[in-house]
Amino acid sequence: MIRNAHAWLASVGLWALIAVSLAEGAGAQSPIQRGQGLPSPSASQRKEDAEGSENTIKFRITRRPRQREAAPPAPGAAGSTFALDPGDAEWTLSISDSAEVLIFHHGVQVAKGTHAFWAQGESSAGAHLSVTARTDNLVLISGAVDGLGLKVQGSAQPVSPRELRVDLEIGAAKAFSSISGGGMSWTFNLDSPSFGGKVGEPKLLLDRTGWRWPVAVGQELMVRFDEPLARLFFDHDKQNEVRTHFVGDRIRPGRGRISLTVTLPEGGRISATAAEKYSKPDGSWFRDALRWDASPVDLSFLNADDRPAGRHGFVKADGDRLVFEDGSPARFWGANLAGPVLFGTPRENIPRQARRIAQLGYNIIRIVQHESNWVRPNIFGSNAQDTRHLDRRSLDAIDYWIKCLKDEGVYVWLDMHYLREIKPGDGVSQGWDEIARAKGIIWGFNYINPQLIKLMKEFQHQYLSHVNRYTGLAYKDDPAIVGVLITNENDLTCHFGLSFLADHNNPVHKALFDRDMLAFARTTGLPGDRIWRSWEPGPSKYLLNEMEHRFNRTMIDALRADGLKSPIATTNLWGDNTLFSLPALTDGDVLDVHAYGKAEALSVNPRYEANYLTWAASAHVHGKPLVITEWNVPYPEIDRFTAPLYVASVASLQGWDAPMLYNYSQMELQRPGPEEGRHRINLWSTFYDPAITGIMPAAAIAFRRGHISLAHTAYCLKLTPAQLFETMLSPEHNTATIRTLIEQSRLTIGMPAVKELPWLKPSETSSDVTVVTDPDHDHIPAGAAVVRSDTGELARNWTEGVQTIDTPRTQAVSGWIGGKALALKDASFQFKTRKAVVALSSIDDQPLSSSRFILITAVGQVRPSPATDMGKLLPNRAADHLPFLSEPVTGTITLRTRTDGLELLSLGPDGKVVSRTTPSSEQDSLAIRLPAGRGTHWYALKARPPARSTQNPSARP
């Protein structure tokens, strides 16, 4: 390992020693002319700049004879390291893998320094830098600026707990002139909620060496270069971006050096990235711990009362919950089957996979992307000339999936439209040139083009009226079909309403849009000079909701006329949708939302920042059930293993009805092999990923059996029309109420009465619901770093990045648990593994303290194998190959129990017992040390002889 800057210099040799200051290479002092690219500094900037744009120095990279060599970078000061744990530091800084300088305030990124260069004008010169090595006190950087022939190497290191020194060695291979130059671009989030509206604007230093940012009284953030810069200015006069150009308008061949220091406010910490905290794979890691065709745990007994699916009658919406026709509650935990998996899975594997899906704890599967243009074959076949005829073989494949799932007590959700590619053979004439230019994808157009509406109605009629040859029921008549989505990720209010602006060049569809827009403006009195401005809040959002509503009613009425009894969703809250997208979604029987997360969600501070479950919560309209047809923290996010239990816990607290992972699989389900595509990890398939699928049984039983209680208190955020339509309310903007309540109490969003939209039903609340009207109020007690549910069962410490679930039947710790003593009601956890999930789940539905059958799940990092070709490593290829490598989770669980004779059974990837051990006991406690025996991630703590149970007779082992 390279431990300090001196060792680095020894390793790079002459490259780093022949260094010439760019500032000393400065020659003539003519400015970069306006016609040559980026705009000149503004008048406001010239007030801050001692020289002004008229005297901007042009730096030339040049090595002159007899020039003094630059000093090597100084090693970090004693004790100056990248902090693995910055504690409660208000300000932190880290270096990303792409060599960006990332600055955080209360955990929220508020500034970023990126490497940016331009050849001429706004033409990017293609800078790509990256971190090549990290130690506890040094980061090595390497890269190039291809368009300018520059090679870059350097380092970054802390010189004090709050100061970072960056040294870059730059080599120029050839001369350039009349370029725009470049260096580093610094962007600022001046509106970060972490500032509470109290932060100054960045200021340029008078000596042209950098900038400072007053962030509080007597506190500032500063970047200072060792020498004056070629150019220093606010980009396009915007106060939220500063350009620090150390390369000016010309380059000469040679080498040079740039150095800068970033100083955080008092108390700040230069920190390691989250990724640096994780251990690296070694020989102790498990290889292929999860089989693609078997489950390590069998929870199929959860579906015993639903085999075959549909025996309780049709599902319907009853207020804000789903119930079966016979009155029994309907609660679904599910996943998606998307595209190729539907048509390419060998037939003999389908019943086996349906069985495995049930064993993992799922009881609903969404069938999606069956008509998408990238899927071959799809529902229209392989080479269809139109999309008006459904392919018999493709329908048979879906029929068989539905039959096999139904046999296992697994219900089905069907989508009607997503990426259907309209073809010339479909006979569309109105706006065809515009549709063809969009490659047949009709997002947005479908809301106003009557020919497209007719095609969509025709498809849903054909699809849902098709009789499944294996069940003898049309899809519309099958109670195992519990939901239908009209169109996926396709809205006007946020995304595709922009399609009708003049600059999108869709004149036919624009004319249809303008006709309806003008009529609506006349009827409502909304201002005609603003109603067309679909990119901003205000009058356009009334119009776009109205247009979606008209389409929704047409499609819903057609579905009901066809005889569909199942609940209907219109489209989804997805992407960057804000709350003004909600009104039209209420046309459906249920609200649907998509929520995709990133790493370190458990460390997100809800006072100031949203995570993916905040997005889910923002779609829960009062009085309507909420389904999540897509959620994921997708591979390769390093801590995706924390997601399933986090979703299950918050969904239980909130009373959400049907979370569905995207996907169980998108690829054909067959044995991995050397064939192309079968030995590499598929981003959107989780069936073989221990990080997601390995946790699913623990999450499924907690959610479906009601181990985690519904919140005791309920809030409704009731919005006025002005708040809903004329402001940007989203989880990221102005909604602290949503962010801070969803892990404490139940929260729904209340719709107002809107005279312009008489069809929108205002939300009516009962006396046991607390109505709040301020969307941006912090509901977490001042000074707290933990958000706790009002049930006392859930807690998340965002400073430590740890979540706990503490209920009688499920107790779990998740996140950065290593080195901490975590005590819950019946179990204590002491683990060495830095980040992991460890869960105890009662299988016999008794409290853990008296249970005779407990599932233990312990999952940490899961990484891919290095890329190989016939067993030979490919060093320049991404490590994205199978099999997965999974980290052993090492530590001790102490369980307080009244049950005698408990034995620890280590479960293999197929659920069979591979070893048996007896935990050590002391008084009323058992000490369970993991990993145990020949086990990997799954264990059963079970009394012998087996307990008799009428609830789960088929449970194993």
Side-chain angles (χ1 to χ4, degrees):
M1 298 292 289
I2 300 172
R3 286 293 177 189
N4 54 50
H6 295 303
W8 170 71
L9 284 172
S11 68
V12 300
L14 186 63
W15 220 112
L17 293 174
I18 305 176
V20 177
S21 167
L22 297 181
E24 292 179 4
Q29 293 187 343
S30 60
I32 296 176
Q33 300 301 317
R34 286 181 183 272
Q36 294 179 335
L38 297 173
S40 305
S42 65
S44 62
Q45 175 198 332
R46 287 196 290 268
K47 294 177 183 179
E48 299 288 346
D49 194 324
E51 299 294 336
S53 66
E54 298 302 316
N55 294 301
T56 299
I57 295 174
K58 299 177 300 185
F59 281 82
R60 296 166 295 178
I61 298 178
T62 177
R63 180 185 174 198
R64 295 178 291 182
R66 298 179 300 279
Q67 185 168 352
R68 174 171 50 86
E69 289 184 353
S80 297
T81 61
F82 290 97
L84 283 176
D85 182 5
D88 58 357
E90 182 178 349
W91 288 89
T92 58
L93 178 154
S94 61
I95 304 293
S96 74
D97 287 343
S98 52
E100 299 167 321
V101 178
L102 307 180
I103 300 171
F104 301 86
H105 181 241
H106 286 303
V108 181
Q109 185 179 305
V110 295
K112 178 169 71 172
T114 58
H115 303 274
F117 295 79
W118 291 265
Q120 291 184 338
E122 296 279 1
S123 177
S124 172
H128 51 91
L129 277 70
S130 62
V131 170
T132 58
R134 296 181 186 267
T135 71
D136 58 358
N137 64 355
L138 185 70
V139 167
L140 300 186
I141 297 168
S142 183
V145 183
D146 294 335
L148 298 177
L150 303 179
K151 299 293 184 183
V152 182
Q153 288 193 351
S155 66
Q157 56 190 145
V159 292
S160 81
R162 66 184 182 102
E163 291 179 290
L164 181 77
R165 174 80 171 178
V166 180
D167 295 287
L168 299 177
E169 308 285 349
I170 303 175
K174 50 187 175 180
F176 287 87
S177 61
S178 301
I179 61 173
S180 296
M184 295 190 72
S185 175
W186 303 85
T187 54
F188 307 90
N189 182 6
L190 302 177
D191 298 323
S192 170
S194 66
F195 295 130
K198 301 174 182 178
V199 68
E201 294 179 341
K203 307 291 183 183
L204 306 183
L205 299 182
L206 297 177
D207 59 2
R208 205 188 294 108
T209 58
W211 53 265
R212 62 183 183 87
W213 185 15
V215 293
V217 176
Q219 295 281 304
E220 66 180 15
L221 176 67
M222 180 178 290
V223 167
R224 184 183 288 277
F225 288 76
D226 284 6
E227 301 289 345
L229 293 155
R231 292 186 64 197
L232 175 65
F233 61 99
F234 289 107
D235 181 44
H236 293 90
D237 289 334
K238 296 182 297 185
Q239 297 299 117
N240 65 346
E241 183 169 0
V242 171
R243 296 279 177 84
T244 53
H245 285 198
F246 45 78
V247 173
D249 69 346
R250 71 177 69 176
I251 295 174
R252 293 178 183 173
R255 294 177 178 174
R257 177 178 171 197
I258 285 292
S259 298
L260 66 142
T261 301
V262 184
T263 305
L264 297 176
E266 290 288 342
R269 292 298 305 271
I270 309 300
S271 303
T273 63
E276 293 176 74
K277 303 176 186 178
Y278 292 88
S279 56
K280 302 297 188 289
D282 59 29
S284 70
W285 284 39
F286 302 123
R287 179 183 174 89
D288 217 5
L290 181 70
R291 275 179 46 175
W292 72 279
D293 60 348
S295 173
V297 179
D298 187 356
L299 297 185
S300 59
F301 66 87
L302 294 176
N303 295 357
D305 195 39
D306 288 277
R307 287 196 289 264
R311 63 186 296 182
H312 295 288
F314 286 93
V315 168
K316 62 181 179 179
D318 180 15
D320 61 358
R321 65 186 187 130
L322 295 176
V323 297
F324 287 108
E325 208 167 8
D326 65 3
S328 57
R331 196 172 202 181
F332 300 106
W333 180 259
N336 284 238
L337 292 174
V341 66
L342 300 169
F343 310 110
T345 298
R347 189 176 185 84
E348 64 273 16
N349 289 348
I350 293 176
R352 298 173 189 168
Q353 287 294 326
R355 172 71 173 165
R356 183 178 188 258
I357 285 167
Q359 289 175 329
L360 289 167
Y362 295 119
N363 67 334
I364 187 171
I365 286 290
R366 176 187 181 219
I367 290 176
V368 66
Q369 303 250 26
H370 53 293
E371 37 69 75
S372 291
N373 58 351
W374 63 275
V375 179
R376 291 291 185 273
N378 60 19
I379 195 67
F380 309 112
S382 295
N383 297 294
Q385 300 303 303
D386 64 61
T387 60
R388 299 184 66 183
H389 299 86
L390 307 187
D391 182 75
R392 179 179 57 82
R393 285 187 295 271
S394 296
L395 279 171
D396 186 76
I398 293 178
D399 285 350
Y400 195 55
W401 268 112
I402 291 174
K403 182 264 184 194
C404 292
L405 291 167
K406 185 172 178 174
D407 286 348
E408 297 295 340
V410 178
Y411 292 82
V412 174
W413 177 286
L414 295 177
D415 277 24
M416 298 296 102
H417 171 260
Y418 184 34
L419 280 167
R420 176 183 179 184
E421 179 185 343
I422 303 301
K423 299 187 175 185
D426 291 320
V428 175
S429 58
Q430 195 167 19
W432 171 250
D433 289 344
E434 297 161 22
I435 295 169
R437 193 170 64 249
K439 302 186 184 303
I441 304 304
I442 58 172
W443 291 330
F445 295 161
N446 63 284
Y447 283 96
I448 59 172
N449 186 323
Q451 292 181 340
L452 298 178
I453 293 172
K454 183 178 179 181
L455 282 178
M456 292 179 70
K457 288 166 62 178
E458 179 185 69
F459 174 84
Q460 64 187 27
H461 171 77
Q462 290 180 336
Y463 191 45
L464 294 174
S465 298
H466 162 73
V467 176
N468 185 325
R469 61 176 290 212
Y470 302 101
T471 66
L473 294 172
Y475 294 167
K476 66 182 178 65
D477 297 325
D478 192 340
I481 308 299
V482 296
V484 165
L485 179 69
I486 293 173
T487 181
N488 185 54
E489 294 190 347
N490 176 17
D491 64 87
L492 293 179
T493 52
C494 182
H495 294 91
F496 303 112
L498 303 174
S499 303
F500 313 114
L501 296 173
D503 62 353
H504 281 60
N505 193 28
N506 295 313
V508 173
H509 289 94
K510 183 179 185 302
L512 293 171
F513 179 86
D514 288 350
R515 179 198 63 195
D516 291 350
M517 176 186 70
L518 293 173
F520 185 69
R522 286 193 299 269
T523 301
T524 61
L526 290 168
D529 61 341
R530 290 187 60 207
I531 196 170
W532 64 276
R533 299 169 67 87
S534 53
W535 65 91
E536 64 184 18
S540 71
K541 302 309 174 185
Y542 296 87
L543 168 68
L544 296 173
N545 272 284
E546 172 68 20
M547 288 183 163
E548 281 193 28
H549 166 72
R550 294 175 186 177
F551 169 82
N552 292 342
R553 286 311 328 160
T554 297
M555 303 304 288
I556 291 170
D557 289 348
L559 287 166
R560 294 306 183 204
D562 284 338
L564 179 71
K565 302 179 183 66
S566 304
I568 297 170
T570 56
T571 187
N572 349 79
L573 198 76
W574 66 285
D576 295 323
N577 279 103
T578 57
L579 269 61
F580 53 54
S581 296
L582 290 176
L585 296 178
T586 65
D587 287 329
D589 302 297
V590 298
L591 270 287
D592 182 24
V593 65
H594 293 174
Y596 287 89
K598 298 183 292 187
E600 310 306 327
L602 299 185
S603 298
V604 168
N605 184 340
R607 298 186 194 276
Y608 311 124
E609 194 173 11
N611 66 26
Y612 60 103
L613 290 187
T614 318
W615 287 91
S618 68
H620 196 182
V621 171
H622 189 78
K624 291 277 188 177
L626 180 71
V627 300
I628 309 172
T629 57
E630 295 182 22
W631 73 264
N632 203 346
V633 179
Y635 171 87
E637 297 292 351
I638 195 166
D639 68 348
R640 57 195 185 279
F641 54 86
T642 64
L645 270 174
Y646 186 42
V647 172
S649 63
V650 176
S652 298
L653 184 76
Q654 292 297 323
W656 300 338
D657 294 273
M660 299 177 226
L661 174 73
Y662 191 91
N663 285 305
Y664 179 76
S665 186
Q666 186 167 280
M667 63 184 291
E668 299 88 346
L669 289 163
Q670 53 188 322
R671 183 180 301 278
E675 297 85 352
E676 182 60 33
R678 288 174 57 192
H679 65 288
R680 299 181 66 180
I681 294 167
N682 182 282
L683 175 65
W684 297 112
S685 296
T686 64
F687 68 96
Y688 49 14
D689 183 0
I692 293 288
T693 301
I695 299 290
M696 277 300 171
I701 199 165
F703 181 80
R704 292 182 57 192
R705 275 254 171 110
H707 288 190
I708 300 161
S709 304
L710 185 70
H712 292 164
T713 55
Y715 290 81
C716 179
L717 173 59
K718 275 199 172 180
L719 302 172
T720 66
Q723 288 173 316
L724 185 58
F725 294 101
E726 299 178 26
T727 59
M728 291 288 289
L729 292 180
S730 79
E732 295 287 1
H733 302 286
N734 310 314
T735 54
T737 294
I738 299 176
R739 295 194 303 268
T740 58
L741 275 179
I742 66 158
E743 294 177 77
Q744 296 191 82
S745 303
R746 198 165 194 225
L747 176 69
T748 54
I749 311 298
M751 293 293 101
V754 180
K755 63 181 179 63
E756 294 86 355
L757 305 175
W759 48 266
L760 180 61
K761 297 177 182 178
S763 300
E764 297 182 1
T765 57
S766 59
S767 59
D768 59 348
V769 175
T770 300
V771 173
V772 293
T773 57
D774 181 359
D776 203 28
H777 179 73
D778 183 351
H779 287 263
I780 296 175
V786 178
V787 56
R788 299 182 188 277
S789 67
D790 60 19
T791 63
E793 295 179 343
L794 307 179
R796 180 168 68 87
N797 184 317
W798 62 81
T799 300
E800 295 185 351
V802 172
Q803 187 205 20
T804 58
I805 300 173
D806 194 1
T807 82
R809 293 173 293 163
T810 287
Q811 293 177 27
V813 293
S814 177
W816 293 106
I817 64 173
K820 299 179 175 70
L822 300 169
L824 304 182
K825 180 181 178 182
D826 300 304
S828 299
F829 302 80
Q830 182 80 54
F831 277 78
K832 296 178 182 178
T833 308
R834 290 179 179 175
K835 194 166 195 178
V837 173
V838 182
L840 301 178
S841 310
S842 171
I843 298 298
D844 59 10
D845 221 25
Q846 298 301 306
L848 291 169
S849 60
S850 57
S851 173
R852 300 174 64 84
F853 193 174
I854 296 170
L855 170 66
I856 301 175
T857 308
V859 177
Q861 288 183 79
V862 177
R863 299 207 187 197
S865 293
T868 60
D869 182 15
M870 303 299 290
K872 182 179 179 181
L873 283 175
L874 301 175
N876 296 322
R877 290 277 296 275
D880 60 357
H881 283 215
L882 296 171
F884 279 112
L885 307 175
S886 52
E887 182 179 21
V889 179
T890 304
T892 301
I893 304 168
T894 302
L895 174 66
R896 290 170 290 283
T897 177
R898 298 189 297 273
T899 302
D900 296 325
L902 288 170
E903 186 178 25
L904 186 66
L905 312 179
S906 302
L907 306 180
D910 58 358
K912 295 180 179 178
V913 177
V914 295
S915 63
R916 299 172 182 266
T917 57
T918 301
S920 59
S921 61
E922 183 176 341
Q923 294 182 349
D924 62 348
S925 296
L926 292 180
I928 304 158
R929 293 177 177 83
L930 302 180
R934 294 165 52 201
T936 56
H937 305 294
W938 307 277
Y939 303 86
L941 196 61
K942 193 172 184 182
R944 285 193 177 274
R948 296 185 179 274
S949 171
T950 58
Q951 296 185 27
N952 54 342
S954 63
R956 72 171 195 231

